[in-house]
Amino acid sequence: MPAPSQFISYIDSNVDSFIKRLGEAVAIPSISGNGAHRQDVFKMGSWLQNQLSALGVQTKSVDLGRHVMDGQDLPLPPAILGKIGNDPKKKTVLIYGHYDVQPAEKSDGWNTEPFSLVVEKETGLLIGRGSTDDKGPILGWLNVLEAHQKLGLELPVNLCFCFEGMEESGSEGLDELITSEAAKGKDGWFGGVDCVCISDNYWLNTRTPCVTYGLRGLAYFKLTVSGPARDLHSGVFGRTVHEPMTDLILLMSKLVAPDGTILVPGVDDMVSAASAEEKSIYDALDYDIKDVEEAAGARIAISSDKATVLMGRMRSPSLSLHGIEGAFYGAGAKTVIPASVSGKFSIRRTPEKVEPLVISYVQSEFAKLNSKNKLNIENLHGGKPWVSDYKHWNYEAAIKATEAVYKVKPDLTREGGSIPVTLTFAESLGVNVLLLPMGRGDDGAHSTNEKLDKSNFIEGTKLLGTYLYEVGAISA
Amino acid sequence: MPAPSQFISYIDSNVDSFIKRLGEAVAIPSISGNGAHRQDVFKMGSWLQNQLSALGVQTKSVDLGRHVMDGQDLPLPPAILGKIGNDPKKKTVLIYGHYDVQPAEKSDGWNTEPFSLVVEKETGLLIGRGSTDDKGPILGWLNVLEAHQKLGLELPVNLCFCFEGMEESGSEGLDELITSEAAKGKDGWFGGVDCVCISDNYWLNTRTPCVTYGLRGLAYFKLTVSGPARDLHSGVFGRTVHEPMTDLILLMSKLVAPDGTILVPGVDDMVSAASAEEKSIYDALDYDIKDVEEAAGARIAISSDKATVLMGRMRSPSLSLHGIEGAFYGAGAKTVIPASVSGKFSIRRTPEKVEPLVISYVQSEFAKLNSKNKLNIENLHGGKPWVSDYKHWNYEAAIKATEAVYKVKPDLTREGGSIPVTLTFAESLGVNVLLLPMGRGDDGAHSTNEKLDKSNFIEGTKLLGTYLYEVGAISA
Ligand SMILES: [Zn+2]
Ligand SMILES: [Zn+2]
Ligand SMILES: [Zn+2]
Ligand SMILES: [Zn+2]
């Protein structure tokens, strides 16, 4: 069942006011990872709750307690829950999104102020932190609600909302809320939910919409080598003591090869060969080496074979070295021997547990160094991988809606990134979870000059609304 | 010729006022490496010039122009020059010191405010940034001048002073000043100088005074690997592109082994075996593995053989990995693939040039990686190594003075650190240069809780004065 034509024309007629509202949201620098901005995250939560209330949604702000971040004791931003519609004959769709954003400073390399939405006339780009991750998609839902309210249209499904303000910082407190509400069964907040829709990822490329049925998990490690009691001067101590950086760099060099091969024995072997059916999905994807190179901004693809690159992204484990805490990181030349250094790396992982493999490998490699320094390795945090049943009616609805709005068959993708809440919803509610992205593969979430194409914001809003009608048609 | 006893007793009678003056100097945060403190460096220069003038020294503040640091265009702190005495029958001693300091913040791990001199009653420690590097030694010279002025004593030599405010940041502008003044011969500021005395290094341990006749040179490198046009999300791009960090870490791991062996072919080979005479110097040094481990605060000496550790510090080249610019360096877990990363490392080097060896080795190792990323390696800055003739009368005077004040034969040492101006003085003035340290090996210059022992400040002042009398005796 396609969405009514009044809905589609309402969206087309209100582009400017939708963009204005996105501008309001982007202007609140709700950076969850920086304690100095915690009040802005709260402000963003209130803004969102007020918007939902005004659109007829019954809302609730749930206190998630406190946490310690970088030594600061801070209140956690609330989960903003919402409900609209209570018709037992309709399906109930749970919508998830996050209202916090990644840090951004103009000096990071932004061409414009990150917290001031810029509408580029020629290109149709909406540029600003959070435009695509994840304020744009949340506002897509607000647009859908507004259209129905203003047109006096009944929603085709019951809606349940769960918006959090800590996604970019480990989703602290959310799992506990979801599992405790789920444990209450039909009396809990999520009672009666039939399926989940999350709009917080991206198309594979810049052309073809997709629906996403799998996410690689994440295991994040902090590998610390400590030696002297304080930083030392390399002129005085160079070649007299075991230097922690020498040990750390050598250990980090033994984790991954320049071609992406993971050197931790057993990790790459965990992935079985793709089945013929799975292979046919990769072959069918509208995707080219050029797409990844355009998105990366350089001709640095790991292979010239399309399938290898796609499998590298979607099903093989990957290991990335992110940086070092405790070493000299500034400009210029400082002749320090850092006392204690921590290498940060993460593995986008397969369903099996990689942590024990990594930890015992690093320990045995360290033993070979004959160093008098001390080693510590911790698993900072992680997200389990998730794969959904893409033959479920929830996916059928999303695919039909995509075809109706974009006139093409969507790519069926698995993603490299992790959205830990996906698995929590799937496991604790026992319902199908769908990822239905709004933005494109080159949006630059987490990067400088993050953007959302105006057409993705508008057609994406239509897609979300149409998806609800397709779900509604199934329940009819 | 020992110093007159009135001089010695004046020093012993004025300890409190000397410490008070050191407190005034430490209270000016003359950090040359931070543009925000540039005016404090100027303030410190004026303070020093006023002190010298009040003690009868003819002074001159020399503008060294401007420079760009971290993108800021800044005025260079002046060189403060001084002259006292003009007797052609006396030798003329050139004294060098620097009035700028390293950065320091209480939050770095200081137990007290770094820019407020703390006098620890029980231990006799004078704690504060610059106490030992290099304000304490400069104030030692002021103490010597004050004693002679107050006692109406004639100085045994003519003195020429050269104090700079950029030593901790590459001594910008100073070489040009020295070479241009030297080029003027006897009409230049340094005309008639017979020898140089620099007090800006440390004893080998905490017990035995030393005179220092050699410094390892420094070659500082910045090794940059660049790939994508911007930072990428590891969930989306992991195992699809060549990651600059993977390449950089692998290259850095090929520079130095955990036991300190330099892996760049040819660098370790540049050092010939120590002569029997040189070996006898190392054997005679009052030094133990325990000394280096105490100073480092951990049992991490590279070897249990005293000679190996001493040669590691004094004559073998050393390679230290200092850090990475451009990668994630904060606390927490960020899943970034940095777009461009620069490894910083330096070699404390032998007289031969190591730069071409390092650059061609890194380039050939990078070629083996088959990476599509781009490599750049630059030699950021350096200092040539320096070795002096320790049989010169300048050293004889320093050794006699040490024996007179400390009642022990000083260690004859070579240092790992570099003081670039040492070589400039030696080469452009063609005279013998002596390093006569005031502080101990555990003073923590450049580190947290930098200190100078009160006894080193006071006996060190006597040493500087007595040294002048010993030089004066030679000219007699
Ligand atoms: Zn997101
Ligand atoms: Zn995000
Ligand atoms: Zn110094
Ligand atoms: Zn220094």
Side-chain angles (χ1 to χ4, degrees):
Chain A
M1 191 173 94
S5 60
Q6 310 146 266
F7 167 72
I8 301 294
S9 18
Y10 185 91
I11 302 302
D12 283 328
S13 310
N14 288 276
V15 171
D16 289 349
S17 85
F18 294 157
I19 291 175
K20 187 162 162 284
R21 178 159 53 202
L22 182 59
E24 278 180 42
V26 166
I28 305 172
S30 52
I31 304 164
S32 55
N34 179 342
H37 281 283
R38 186 53 53 91
Q39 282 313 312
D40 291 315
V41 189
F42 275 83
K43 192 174 158 194
M44 184 67 205
S46 303
W47 182 93
L48 179 57
Q49 186 174 13
N50 291 339
Q51 291 283 332
L52 290 164
S53 298
L55 293 167
V57 178
Q58 170 204 346
T59 63
K60 183 159 97 169
S61 168
V62 182
D63 182 359
L64 298 178
R66 303 182 66 85
H67 74 140
V68 175
M69 189 174 74
D70 294 340
Q72 261 187 298
D73 180 65
L74 295 164
L76 284 165
I80 304 296
L81 303 183
K83 261 185 186 162
I84 183 167
N86 188 24
D87 185 341
K89 297 192 298 297
K90 292 179 181 169
K91 287 225 183 296
T92 299
V93 179
L94 171 60
I95 307 293
Y96 163 89
H98 64 90
Y99 61 84
D100 62 320
V101 297
Q102 283 279 321
E105 307 256 3
K106 183 130 196 284
S107 60
D108 293 343
W110 285 71
N111 299 324
T112 58
E113 283 301 330
F115 295 102
S116 173
L117 189 75
V118 170
V119 185
E120 246 184 34
K121 282 276 176 303
E122 322 80 66
T123 58
L125 300 184
L126 311 173
I127 301 162
R129 176 55 89 220
S131 56
T132 195
D133 180 20
D134 185 34
K135 291 177 175 175
I138 289 181
L139 268 72
W141 294 112
L142 298 184
N143 299 343
V144 169
L145 291 170
E146 180 189 308
H148 285 78
Q149 186 190 51
K150 290 284 163 64
L151 297 167
L153 270 176
E154 201 187 323
L155 284 161
V157 295
N158 306 314
L159 288 175
C160 180
F161 295 98
C162 176
F163 296 120
E164 68 159 320
M166 279 297 285
E167 198 273 343
E168 302 292 9
S169 304
S171 290
E172 282 199 61
L174 189 67
D175 269 15
E176 294 76 357
L177 171 70
I178 294 169
T179 52
S180 76
E181 286 298 323
K184 296 180 197 159
K186 64 179 172 43
D187 300 327
W189 185 265
F190 306 117
V193 163
D194 295 298
C195 65
V196 181
C197 178
I198 298 178
S199 189
D200 187 24
N201 66 310
Y202 313 94
W203 299 352
L204 196 52
N205 53 37
T206 59
R207 300 173 300 274
T208 319
C210 70
V211 296
T212 303
Y213 70 98
L215 291 170
R216 283 194 292 200
L218 173 72
Y220 200 106
F221 296 91
K222 180 179 180 182
L223 197 180
T224 304
V225 181
S226 310
R230 65 199 75 85
D231 288 358
L232 303 176
H233 188 296
S234 68
V236 180
F237 289 92
R239 207 156 185 169
T240 69
V241 296
H242 287 281
E243 301 188 14
M245 270 293 274
T246 304
D247 297 350
L248 177 71
I249 293 284
L250 189 50
L251 290 176
M252 290 176 81
S253 78
K254 292 173 185 291
L255 296 169
V256 60
D259 68 357
T261 304
I262 297 181
L263 303 176
V264 181
V267 174
D268 270 353
D269 310 336
M270 283 178 169
V271 185
S272 53
S275 68
E277 185 186 351
E278 194 187 334
K279 268 194 181 136
S280 72
I281 294 176
Y282 296 116
D283 288 334
L285 293 175
D286 178 13
Y287 187 81
D288 202 279
I289 301 292
K290 258 188 278 174
D291 290 310
V292 74
E293 295 193 326
E294 259 167 33
R299 304 201 56 186
I300 54 172
I302 208 95
S303 165
S304 52
D305 177 57
K306 170 180 168 176
T308 303
V309 174
L310 271 179
M311 311 249 284
R313 171 161 171 170
M314 297 187 187
R315 76 186 311 279
S316 314
S318 68
L319 192 155
S320 295
L321 306 173
H322 305 300
I324 295 176
E325 183 181 346
F328 173 50
Y329 60 83
K334 194 173 164 183
T335 55
V336 67
I337 296 175
S340 178
V341 284
S342 300
K344 308 286 181 75
F345 66 98
S346 67
I347 299 181
R348 299 287 172 171
R349 68 183 182 83
T350 60
E352 294 81 11
K353 282 194 97 56
V354 297
E355 290 83 347
L357 289 179
V358 171
I359 291 172
S360 72
Y361 172 69
V362 167
Q363 285 168 340
S364 78
E365 289 298 316
F366 181 70
K368 292 182 195 165
L369 306 188
N370 281 319
S371 169
K372 295 183 187 163
N373 290 320
K374 302 228 174 323
L375 173 79
N376 184 45
I377 175 161
E378 355 166 26
N379 184 207
L380 275 199
H381 74 73
K384 284 192 251 177
W386 160 82
V387 179
S388 191
D389 171 15
Y390 55 80
K391 292 175 183 167
H392 189 274
W393 54 257
N394 194 22
Y395 280 81
E396 279 175 28
I399 291 166
K400 275 190 201 163
T402 307
E403 288 169 341
V405 172
Y406 285 106
K407 320 291 177 208
V408 293
K409 224 177 142 55
D411 279 340
L412 203 51
T413 67
R414 287 164 68 164
E415 266 292 353
S418 69
I419 313 174
V421 77
T422 312
L423 193 72
T424 309
F425 280 135
E427 289 182 345
S428 60
L429 303 179
V431 300
N432 183 278
V433 180
L434 160 77
L435 300 191
L436 185 58
M438 175 178 269
R440 301 184 185 185
D442 66 346
D443 280 357
H446 295 208
S447 184
T448 50
N449 303 309
E450 176 182 344
K451 60 88 177 168
L452 176 66
D453 291 78
K454 185 163 81 175
S455 66
N456 283 57
F457 188 42
I458 299 308
E459 301 307 305
T461 293
K462 294 178 192 171
L463 171 67
L464 298 179
T466 304
Y467 157 73
L468 299 184
Y469 281 92
E470 293 294 348
V471 171
I474 287 159
S475 68
Chain B
M1 192 173 96
S5 59
Q6 311 147 268
F7 167 73
I8 301 295
S9 16
Y10 186 91
I11 303 302
D12 283 328
S13 312
N14 288 276
V15 171
D16 290 348
S17 86
F18 293 157
I19 291 175
K20 188 164 161 285
R21 178 159 53 201
L22 182 59
E24 279 180 42
V26 166
I28 305 172
S30 52
I31 304 164
S32 56
N34 179 342
H37 281 283
R38 187 52 54 92
Q39 282 313 309
D40 292 315
V41 188
F42 275 83
K43 193 174 155 195
M44 184 65 206
S46 302
W47 182 93
L48 180 56
Q49 187 175 12
N50 292 339
Q51 292 283 335
L52 289 165
S53 298
L55 293 168
V57 178
Q58 170 204 348
T59 64
K60 182 160 98 167
S61 169
V62 182
D63 182 359
L64 298 178
R66 301 182 68 85
H67 75 140
V68 175
M69 188 174 75
D70 295 339
Q72 259 187 300
D73 180 64
L74 296 165
L76 284 165
I80 304 296
L81 303 183
K83 260 185 188 166
I84 182 167
N86 189 22
D87 184 342
K89 296 190 302 298
K90 291 179 184 171
K91 286 225 184 297
T92 299
V93 179
L94 171 60
I95 308 293
Y96 163 89
H98 64 91
Y99 61 83
D100 63 320
V101 296
Q102 284 278 320
E105 308 257 1
K106 183 128 195 286
S107 61
D108 294 342
W110 284 73
N111 299 326
T112 58
E113 284 302 331
F115 294 103
S116 172
L117 189 75
V118 170
V119 184
E120 244 184 35
K121 281 279 175 301
E122 324 79 67
T123 57
L125 299 184
L126 311 174
I127 302 163
R129 175 57 87 222
S131 55
T132 194
D133 182 19
D134 188 32
K135 291 177 175 176
I138 289 182
L139 268 72
W141 293 113
L142 298 183
N143 299 344
V144 169
L145 290 170
E146 180 191 308
H148 285 78
Q149 186 190 52
K150 289 285 163 64
L151 296 168
L153 269 176
E154 201 187 326
L155 283 161
V157 297
N158 306 315
L159 288 176
C160 179
F161 295 98
C162 175
F163 295 120
E164 67 158 321
M166 279 296 284
E167 197 274 343
E168 302 293 6
S169 303
S171 290
E172 283 199 61
L174 189 67
D175 270 13
E176 293 78 355
L177 171 70
I178 294 169
T179 52
S180 77
E181 287 299 322
K184 295 180 197 160
K186 65 180 172 43
D187 300 328
W189 185 265
F190 305 118
V193 163
D194 294 298
C195 66
V196 181
C197 178
I198 297 178
S199 189
D200 188 23
N201 67 309
Y202 313 94
W203 297 353
L204 195 53
N205 53 36
T206 59
R207 298 173 300 273
T208 319
C210 68
V211 298
T212 303
Y213 70 99
L215 290 171
R216 283 196 293 202
L218 173 73
Y220 201 105
F221 296 92
K222 181 178 181 183
L223 197 181
T224 303
V225 181
S226 309
R230 66 199 74 85
D231 288 358
L232 303 175
H233 188 296
S234 69
V236 181
F237 289 93
R239 206 155 184 170
T240 70
V241 296
H242 287 282
E243 302 187 14
M245 268 294 273
T246 305
D247 298 350
L248 178 70
I249 293 285
L250 190 49
L251 290 177
M252 289 175 83
S253 77
K254 291 174 186 290
L255 296 170
V256 60
D259 68 357
T261 305
I262 296 181
L263 303 175
V264 180
V267 174
D268 271 352
D269 310 337
M270 281 177 168
V271 184
S272 52
S275 68
E277 185 185 355
E278 194 185 336
K279 268 193 184 141
S280 73
I281 293 176
Y282 295 116
D283 288 335
L285 292 176
D286 179 13
Y287 188 80
D288 202 279
I289 301 292
K290 259 187 278 174
D291 291 310
V292 73
E293 296 194 326
E294 261 168 33
R299 303 201 54 186
I300 54 172
I302 209 91
S303 164
S304 53
D305 177 59
K306 169 179 167 177
T308 303
V309 174
L310 271 178
M311 311 248 285
R313 171 161 172 172
M314 297 187 188
R315 75 187 310 280
S316 313
S318 68
L319 192 156
S320 294
L321 306 172
H322 305 298
I324 295 175
E325 183 180 347
F328 173 50
Y329 61 81
K334 194 172 166 186
T335 56
V336 67
I337 296 175
S340 178
V341 283
S342 301
K344 308 285 180 75
F345 65 97
S346 67
I347 299 181
R348 298 288 171 169
R349 69 183 180 81
T350 60
E352 294 79 13
K353 278 192 101 53
V354 297
E355 290 84 348
L357 288 180
V358 171
I359 291 171
S360 72
Y361 172 69
V362 166
Q363 285 169 339
S364 78
E365 289 298 316
F366 182 70
K368 292 181 194 165
L369 305 188
N370 280 319
S371 169
K372 294 182 188 163
N373 291 320
K374 301 225 174 326
L375 173 78
N376 184 44
I377 175 161
E378 351 165 28
N379 184 208
L380 276 198
H381 76 72
K384 284 192 248 177
W386 161 80
V387 180
S388 189
D389 172 15
Y390 55 80
K391 292 176 180 165
H392 190 273
W393 54 258
N394 194 21
Y395 280 80
E396 277 175 31
I399 292 167
K400 275 190 200 162
T402 307
E403 288 169 342
V405 173
Y406 284 106
K407 319 292 176 207
V408 294
K409 225 176 142 57
D411 278 341
L412 203 52
T413 68
R414 286 165 68 165
E415 266 291 354
S418 69
I419 312 173
V421 75
T422 311
L423 194 70
T424 310
F425 280 135
E427 288 182 344
S428 59
L429 302 180
V431 298
N432 183 279
V433 180
L434 160 77
L435 301 191
L436 184 58
M438 174 179 271
R440 301 185 186 185
D442 66 346
D443 280 357
H446 296 209
S447 185
T448 51
N449 303 309
E450 177 182 343
K451 60 88 179 170
L452 175 65
D453 291 78
K454 186 163 81 175
S455 65
N456 284 57
F457 188 42
I458 299 308
E459 300 308 304
T461 293
K462 294 178 192 169
L463 173 66
L464 298 179
T466 304
Y467 157 73
L468 299 183
Y469 280 92
E470 292 294 348
V471 171
I474 286 159
S475 68

